Amino acid sequence: MVKVAVLGHGTVGSGVVELFTQNAKSITSRAGQEMEVKRILDIREFPDLPYADKFTKNFDDILNDPEITIVAEVMGGLSPAFEFTKSLLEHGKSVVTSNKELVASRGAELLQIAKAHNVNYFFEASVGGGIPIIRPMHQCLAANEITEVAGILNGTTNYILTKMIHESVPFDEALAQAQKLGYAERNPAADVEGQDACRKICILASLAFGSHVYPQTVHTEGITGLTLEDVEYASMWGGVIKLIGRAKKQPDGKVIATVYPAFLSSHSQLAGIDDVFNGILIRGNATGDVVFYGRGAGKMPTASAVVADMIDISKANCTSKSLSWADSDGHNVADYKTDPLRFYIRASLLDHAQSTVNDVMGGVEFLSRSGQPEDEIAFVTGQMTERELDSKLEVLGNLIKVKSMIRVLDY
Ligand code: HSE
């Protein structure tokens, strides 16, 4: 019998306890032994729950219980989640988590501590909700050199964009629905401003390229500046706008890591991913592109990944010591403006200078939409770095006033 504990009885934590009851039989057969939730840490009271006797407000009840060998940290945030996780690992208990903020900012350190104490720190639920991605990347794709990882990594923003674009639901209403469904972060600014996707791309990039990519080194933009005009131009161009987190290995070994809304062709494997679904594309030098798709947020999908990690630990007896990466000082990340891309620009034209725009930009594809004001132009450039784009726009400074700039990605 394996006894486990759960830190936090919120959306994910309550799902974890529920799964252990609901799927007890199959969990036992897959783990090779019975698994039981012995303790749940939460500062709130839950007197009406049938398992009310398992709750404690005292972390030491879990830390000092020798019977508890695996703990799920599903409380979120950096503190006290970091201190709790560190103490548990140092006390020889394995920890699994859905806490992407913690893994993205202290992952290298916690993985090191886990290794030193011969226990596991697993975080399948931190990226992609219920989609298996960490283990497939680390194990099934282990023979590949991964060159690029890109995806729709935030369910809330994908849900909001889908509602806005296809059902004309206003932004605030779509966000309220996402909160009600348990998709959004406690502070949904982390979703709409891109930080949640940033944390997830940090975890994927660290795992793919072997050195910690920290959130502050990732250029991050959210969806708050998107307009329906841009959505319409994207559609006239033959695509959609999605919030994409990506990390790409450069020939010099450095990584370009970004989060921003991007134009994707409607032929892209990521273009049709709507609602709360996430899609993650891994480009390997042996496999080519592999795409993972599924529910990226929500109580039971995320709980499923947390419990799977606990089952894995109980049956493998802490054998995945290779799940780790080196720490870094930030020099592993390259300047995102050196990445050659195409760019969509929407601007007001201060003079009749369309041909000058075309010449300075080195040839562009002009776009049009219904109801387009006479002084508005929209176009997609050829490939250039963002530095080159900046200097060309400077040359055009007196002729156009840029309203939107959205990168075009080829996936
Ligand atoms: N707020 C996150 C999302 C939850 O919407 O994707 C899952 O990490």
Side-chain angles (χ1 to χ4, degrees):
M1 163 85 83
V2 178
K3 305 241 176 175
V4 308
V6 181
L7 308 185
H9 192 261
T11 307
V12 181
S14 57
V16 168
V17 180
E18 224 171 288
L19 265 185
F20 271 112
T21 316
Q22 213 178 79
N23 294 351
K25 224 169 139 191
S26 60
I27 289 174
T28 303
S29 91
R30 288 186 183 131
Q33 54 192 316
E34 249 180 89
M35 294 184 78
E36 184 195 89
V37 177
K38 185 173 181 189
R39 285 286 194 186
I40 304 162
L41 181 78
D42 205 294
I43 47 170
R44 296 163 296 177
E45 314 259 346
F46 297 89
D48 300 331
L49 289 176
Y51 50 88
D53 59 317
K54 293 182 192 282
F55 281 90
T56 175
K57 292 185 176 134
N58 185 359
F59 172 65
D60 287 343
D61 286 346
I62 293 167
L63 185 69
N64 297 324
D65 185 335
E67 272 194 342
I68 294 172
T69 52
I70 307 171
V71 179
E73 182 274 295
V74 285
M75 54 202 300
L78 291 181
S79 187
F82 173 75
E83 293 78 11
F84 286 177
T85 303
K86 186 168 182 276
S87 302
L88 289 163
L89 296 171
E90 286 170 345
H91 275 69
K93 298 183 196 298
S94 286
V95 179
V96 310
T97 189
S98 58
N99 188 339
K100 51 250 154 154
E101 188 178 1
L102 183 57
V103 181
S105 49
R106 311 291 293 263
E109 195 179 341
L110 290 170
L111 284 163
Q112 200 44 49
I113 296 170
K115 208 171 189 171
H117 291 84
N118 210 24
V119 288
N120 285 135
Y121 183 50
F122 282 175
F123 42 89
E124 183 64 64
S126 65
V127 182
I131 308 171
I133 181 67
I134 302 294
R135 199 162 282 102
M137 233 174 116
H138 175 60
Q139 294 180 351
C140 314
L141 296 173
N144 285 260
E145 280 290 330
I146 293 175
T147 54
E148 206 161 334
V149 182
I152 295 169
L153 301 172
N154 182 267
T156 300
T157 45
N158 206 37
Y159 182 86
I160 293 172
L161 287 176
T162 308
K163 292 282 162 198
M164 285 175 73
I165 296 166
H166 299 300
E167 296 171 34
S168 306
V169 176
F171 180 91
D172 289 341
E173 200 179 306
L175 173 58
Q177 284 176 13
Q179 284 176 299
K180 207 169 147 199
L181 290 162
Y183 303 156
E185 296 303 298
R186 256 180 300 183
N187 175 6
D191 295 296
V192 298
E193 284 165 13
Q195 286 110 357
D196 178 73
C198 167
R199 290 164 188 154
K200 292 167 179 167
I201 200 64
C202 287
I203 297 169
L204 294 176
S206 303
L207 189 60
F209 307 126
S211 66
H212 200 120
V213 172
Y214 283 97
Q216 57 273 25
T217 62
V218 176
H219 175 76
T220 301
E221 297 171 24
I223 63 163
T224 49
L226 282 184
T227 68
L228 288 178
E229 285 89 343
D230 297 322
V231 169
E232 200 177 335
Y233 278 121
S235 150
M236 296 313 288
W237 171 77
V240 291
I241 302 177
K242 292 286 183 191
L243 183 67
I244 301 292
R246 64 192 287 258
K248 180 179 161 189
K249 195 166 183 181
Q250 306 268 80
D252 66 0
K254 289 195 177 196
V255 176
I256 286 184
T258 54
V259 174
Y260 44 60
F263 270 37
L264 293 179
S265 152
S266 50
H267 300 297
S268 162
Q269 297 199 73
L270 301 177
I273 293 173
D274 283 335
D275 293 311
V276 71
F277 288 88
N278 283 190
I280 302 160
L281 180 148
I282 312 280
R283 196 159 277 175
N285 67 347
T287 54
D289 290 352
V290 181
V291 180
F292 298 83
Y293 168 82
R295 285 185 187 280
K299 177 174 167 171
M300 296 318 271
T302 312
S304 149
V306 172
V307 175
D309 270 350
M310 296 173 106
I311 295 172
D312 210 36
I313 290 171
S314 84
K315 79 174 177 212
N317 222 355
C318 304
T319 51
S320 283
K321 294 196 186 88
S322 59
L323 183 68
S324 69
W325 53 73
D327 207 349
S328 73
D329 56 6
H331 286 100
N332 52 338
V333 178
D335 176 6
Y336 74 97
K337 288 204 173 191
T338 58
D339 192 20
L341 297 174
R342 289 180 294 151
F343 300 89
Y344 154 85
I345 305 282
R346 180 168 64 90
S348 50
L349 200 57
L350 304 180
D351 200 350
H352 292 285
Q354 212 152 322
S355 62
T356 313
V357 170
N358 191 52
D359 291 346
V360 171
M361 285 288 161
V364 298
E365 176 189 355
F366 284 105
L367 306 174
S368 57
R369 67 176 173 98
S370 60
Q372 179 175 354
E374 248 189 40
D375 67 343
E376 180 175 275
I377 55 164
F379 56 86
V380 172
T381 70
Q383 202 170 65
M384 63 182 84
T385 66
E386 204 163 320
R387 291 224 171 286
E388 287 169 316
L389 177 77
D390 288 346
S391 49
K392 286 175 197 287
L393 288 174
E394 216 174 297
V395 173
L396 292 171
N398 295 327
L399 296 178
I400 66 170
K401 190 161 178 267
V402 175
K403 293 186 195 157
S404 324
M405 184 279 273
I406 299 177
R407 289 101 179 162
V408 178
L409 295 177
D410 292 313
Y411 292 113

